[in-house]
Amino acid sequence: MSNKYFPSSSPDEMNEKPKISPDQESALDMHFNRNKTMHASDVAILSAETGLSEEQVQQWFLFRLASWRKEQGLGPLVGRLYE
């Protein structure tokens, strides 16, 4: 997967949860609990606030969203639009 947030990550790296401190996780969790969507500006702000890279912030958010969806009993495809 190559894009703005994951420029050259291998599939193995993508499956690993980012290693972050409890303070960083708390800041990320506070944002997640307020808003389940992540915009580019949110990524940049959280990156600056936590000292994590934008890639780490985005990866954490994707893992957290997947976990939340599972807790809610939602499948991975709920909410996606199809062509």
Side-chain angles (χ1 to χ4, degrees), residues 6 19-20 23 28 37-38 40 49 61 71-72 74 82:
F6 305 110
K19 293 171 179 47
I20 59 175
D23 290 339
L28 293 166
T37 59
M38 180 71 75
E49 286 179 359
F61 191 84
E71 291 167 7
Q72 299 301 310
L74 302 172
Y82 297 97

Side-chain angles (χ1 to χ4, degrees), residues 5-68:
Y5 298 111
F6 305 110
S8 61
S9 297
S10 71
D12 289 336
E13 291 171 353
M14 295 299 298
N15 293 324
E16 293 179 20
K17 188 174 180 182
K19 293 171 179 47
I20 59 175
S21 74
D23 290 339
Q24 292 168 323
E25 182 142 20
S26 176
L28 293 166
D29 235 1
M30 282 182 11
H31 176 80
F32 182 83
N33 289 331
R34 283 185 302 218
N35 193 353
K36 304 290 187 267
T37 59
M38 180 71 75
H39 299 95
S41 59
D42 296 327
V43 172
I45 291 168
L46 286 168
S47 174
E49 286 179 359
T50 61
L52 296 168
S53 69
E54 290 186 12
E55 292 82 11
Q56 289 173 306
V57 170
Q58 183 67 16
Q59 188 177 13
W60 180 91
F61 191 84
L62 291 173
F63 273 98
R64 181 64 182 94
L65 185 60
S67 175
W68 177 81

